[in-house]
């Protein structure tokens, strides 16, 4: 056995630590997804938990990934073939959870509209006379946001009559 | 619709979640979570604060373009427009389920459409069914005389304070226009008198939120309700 490789009990502890990191990262990202799911009633306590987990999970998962990689490197040295197969199986969910913690999965379902474009009344053949629009008028500038588009994007940033506004539906 | 600035800070909002079928938005600058329907900060640096409301009309495109021929209209995003709701989305949505508890004493079904207004902190929900039957409803809410009316398109709803220069006016509908009983002046759907003794006067607009009864009630638990059979 090489001098810089962990002892048998040391290896066992590192494997346990890796398992703990897998469970922690998965639970941290899964709880908010589960609590703030559409078509489900939410409680204020559940929302508060989700808010905090969404807030801290990007950092916790990165820390967990760094730790898991360090443990993995230690375990790789002097490892038997089955340990070398097991290592990626432990690391993959941690890295996946880290990636997920940095995503906004709600915007996968409803794409945002960062560079909203506008048409004149004459050009607006994409909206029917009988379609509902949300309309604002500020300092003489009038803008219509068709509800069918807003029901998908939900949030559109704009400046109307010099005032920055957020159209929501 | 909300002003993007609060306390001198301009915020950029993104969709961040769902709370009892109304979405949550998150601002990039502080990470605060905001409730879309109320503009209220639920969690984060701005908790307890509220965004400033921007007066919004919810009307048909036909009514809007007649009033604003020089306005601009949000274009669809061609990359995702296949995901937009179908033209008959309003009927489809009425079939969706409601997950919040339903009060058995309610006069309206959870997904009944209402036009909600708030006058002097007093919320009232008018059933769209009642507006379809009556076209125009006169009310006095906490000493403020108002009227709420359905447009000729059967979809657009507007509400106004019916007081001009200290005088309360009683309105009725005549050939898709409003007439006040006191002076016989004719008013259009924007709340402006277009002929008669009061020509040129503008009624004060009250913002109307078209909503489902169940959603309105969550955010206005002390609301009154006006239904067709009352």
């Amino acid at each position: 056995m090489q001098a810089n490789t962990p002892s048998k009990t040391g290896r066992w502890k590192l494997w346990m630590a890796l398992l703990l990191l897998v469970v922690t990262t998965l639970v941290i990202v899964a709880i908010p997804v589960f609590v703030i799911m559409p078509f489900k009633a939410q409680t204020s306590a559940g929302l508060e938990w989700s808010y905090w987990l969404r807030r801290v999970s990007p950092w916790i998962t990165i820390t967990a990934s760094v730790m898991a990689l360090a443990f993995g490197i230690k375990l790789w040295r002097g490892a038997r073939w089955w340990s070398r197969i097991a290592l990626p199986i432990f690391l993959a969910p941690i890295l996946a959870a880290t990636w997920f913690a940095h995503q906004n999965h709600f915007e996968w379902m409803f794409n945002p509209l960062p560079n909203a474009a506008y048409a004149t009344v004459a050009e607006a053949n994409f909206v029917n006379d009988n379609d509902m629009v949300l309309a604002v008028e500020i300092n003489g500038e009038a803008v219509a946001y068709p509800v069918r588009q807003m029901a998908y994007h939900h949030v559109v940033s704009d400046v109307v009559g010099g005032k920055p506004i957020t159209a929501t539906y | 619709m909300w002003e993007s600035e609060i306390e001198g800070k301009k915020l950029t909002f993104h969709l961040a979640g769902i709370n009892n079928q109304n979405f949550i938005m998150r601002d990039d600058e502080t990470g605060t979570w905001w409730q879309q329907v109320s503009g209220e900060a639920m969690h984060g640096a701005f908790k307890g604060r509220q965004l400033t409301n921007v007066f919004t009309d919810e009307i048909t495109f036909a009514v809007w373009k007649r009033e604003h021929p020089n306005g601009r209209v949000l274009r669809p995003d061609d990359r995702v427009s296949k995901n937009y709701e179908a033209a008959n989305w309003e009927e489809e949505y009425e079939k969706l389920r409601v997950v919040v508890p339903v009060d058995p004493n309610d006069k309206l079904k959870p997904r009944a459409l209402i036009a909600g207004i708030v006058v002097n902190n007093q919320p009232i929900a008018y059933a769209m069914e009642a507006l379809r039957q009556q076209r125009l409803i006169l009310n006095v809410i906490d000493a403020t005389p108002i009227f709420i009316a359905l447009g000729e398109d059967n979809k657009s709803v507007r509400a106004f304070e019916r007081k001009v220069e200290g005088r309360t006016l009683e309105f009725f509908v005549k050939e898709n226009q409003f007439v006040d009983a006191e002076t016989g002046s004719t008013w259009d759907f924007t709340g402006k008198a277009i002929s008669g003794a009061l020509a040129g006067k503008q009624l004060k607009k009250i913002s109307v939120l078209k909503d489902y009864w169940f959603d309105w009630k969550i955010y206005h638990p002390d609301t009154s309700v006006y239904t067709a059979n009352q």
Side-chain angles (χ1 to χ4, degrees), chain B residues 114-125:
Chain B
I114 61 100
I117 63 171
V118 179
V119 178
N120 301 331
N121 293 320
Q122 172 64 54
I124 302 198

Side-chain angles (χ1 to χ4, degrees), chain B residues 46-65:
Chain B
F46 280 114
K47 185 174 178 170
R49 241 66 65 82
Q50 198 174 16
L51 298 171
T52 307
N53 188 54
V54 174
F55 185 90
T56 310
D57 258 332
E58 194 174 341
I59 50 182
T60 55
F61 186 58
V63 169
W64 180 80
K65 71 180 179 190

Side-chain angles (χ1 to χ4, degrees), chain B residues 20-228:
Chain B
N20 292 314
Q21 300 185 297
N22 186 265
F23 79 85
I24 300 165
M25 43 191 196
R26 177 185 182 278
D27 70 71
D28 292 347
E29 289 75 11
T30 71
T32 302
W33 277 15
W34 306 82
Q35 189 71 60
Q36 180 264 336
V37 72
S38 63
E40 217 170 299
M42 315 151 72
H43 297 291
F46 280 114
K47 185 174 178 170
R49 241 66 65 82
Q50 198 174 16
L51 298 171
T52 307
N53 188 54
V54 174
F55 185 90
T56 310
D57 258 332
E58 194 174 341
I59 50 182
T60 55
F61 186 58
V63 169
W64 180 80
K65 71 180 179 190
R66 192 174 63 215
E67 295 174 3
H68 301 285
N70 300 316
R72 60 180 163 98
V73 190
L74 180 70
R75 278 187 189 277
D77 180 347
D78 293 333
R79 292 168 308 157
V80 296
S81 55
K82 61 179 189 304
N83 298 326
Y84 290 157
E85 301 294 348
N88 67 338
W89 67 276
E90 282 146 313
E91 291 102 78
E92 293 302 314
Y93 268 42
E94 279 180 50
K95 295 176 204 152
L96 291 180
R97 88 200 150 85
V98 171
V99 297
V100 294
V102 174
D103 182 344
N105 299 319
D106 272 355
K107 292 183 202 162
L108 294 174
K109 289 193 172 121
R111 282 216 183 256
L113 277 170
I114 61 100
I117 63 171
V118 179
V119 178
N120 301 331
N121 293 320
Q122 172 64 54
I124 302 198
Y126 294 87
M128 281 301 285
E129 193 50 44
L131 281 162
R132 275 187 209 111
Q133 287 177 19
Q134 291 174 246
R135 315 300 305 185
L136 182 149
I137 298 167
L138 299 175
N139 252 181
V140 178
I141 304 172
D142 204 17
T144 302
I146 65 112
F147 78 90
I148 182 162
L150 186 66
E152 58 197 280
D153 56 14
N154 273 332
K155 288 174 107 179
S156 307
V157 179
R158 280 201 172 124
F160 304 94
E161 285 188 19
R162 51 186 173 91
K163 213 168 190 177
V164 174
E165 289 159 352
R167 179 158 62 158
T168 298
L169 303 175
E170 305 292 320
F171 284 85
F172 56 92
V173 183
K174 193 180 169 189
E175 287 153 10
N176 288 322
Q177 283 171 329
F178 312 129
V179 178
D180 73 76
E182 285 68 17
T183 72
S185 304
T186 316
W187 305 70
D188 69 12
F189 195 51
T190 67
K192 192 174 173 181
I194 46 175
S195 66
L198 296 174
K201 293 272 184 274
Q202 171 71 50
L203 298 173
K204 195 179 163 210
K205 289 181 177 176
I206 299 168
S207 96
V208 177
L209 184 72
K210 275 184 100 176
D211 200 356
Y212 296 109
W213 166 240
F214 83 88
D215 194 48
W216 174 264
K217 209 180 162 192
I218 293 174
Y219 299 98
H220 304 90
D222 55 344
T223 188
S224 332
V225 52
Y226 187 102
T227 53

Side-chain angles (χ1 to χ4, degrees), chain A residues 35-44 47-48 50-52 54-55 104 106-107 110-114 116-121 123-124 126-138 141-160 163-169, chain B residues 1-5 10-21 23-26 30-33 36 42-45 47 54-65 68-77 79-80 83-87 89-90 93 96-97 99-100 111 153 155-156 205 210:
Chain A
V35 171
I36 52 178
M37 220 185 315
F39 292 102
K40 202 168 150 289
Q42 278 81 24
T43 63
S44 58
L47 281 173
E48 180 136 29
S50 301
Y51 168 76
W52 283 108
R54 286 295 292 172
R55 204 170 166 81
N104 181 354
F106 283 94
E107 292 195 339
F110 303 102
N111 266 259
L113 196 55
Y118 295 87
T120 63
V121 169
E123 292 165 343
F126 47 85
V127 46
N128 300 321
D129 276 0
N130 209 27
D131 284 344
M132 297 301 282
V133 299
L134 302 176
V136 293
E137 183 179 4
I138 305 173
E141 186 178 14
V143 188
Y145 306 90
V147 166
R148 272 170 71 196
Q149 282 145 256
M150 292 303 294
Y152 174 81
H153 294 292
H154 287 300
V155 187
V156 174
S157 296
D158 200 354
V159 178
V160 182
K163 194 178 264 303
I165 67 155
T166 304
T168 64
Y169 186 80
Chain B
M1 303 252 192
W2 308 102
E3 288 187 12
S4 305
E5 270 181 24
K10 188 177 174 257
L11 303 177
T12 316
F13 296 97
H14 285 274
L15 190 67
I18 287 272
N19 176 21
N20 292 314
Q21 300 185 297
F23 79 85
I24 300 165
M25 43 191 196
R26 177 185 182 278
T30 71
T32 302
W33 277 15
Q36 180 264 336
M42 315 151 72
H43 297 291
K47 185 174 178 170
V54 174
F55 185 90
T56 310
D57 258 332
E58 194 174 341
I59 50 182
T60 55
F61 186 58
V63 169
W64 180 80
K65 71 180 179 190
H68 301 285
N70 300 316
R72 60 180 163 98
V73 190
L74 180 70
R75 278 187 189 277
D77 180 347
R79 292 168 308 157
V80 296
N83 298 326
Y84 290 157
E85 301 294 348
W89 67 276
E90 282 146 313
Y93 268 42
L96 291 180
R97 88 200 150 85
V99 297
V100 294
R111 282 216 183 256
D153 56 14
K155 288 174 107 179
S156 307
K205 289 181 177 176
K210 275 184 100 176

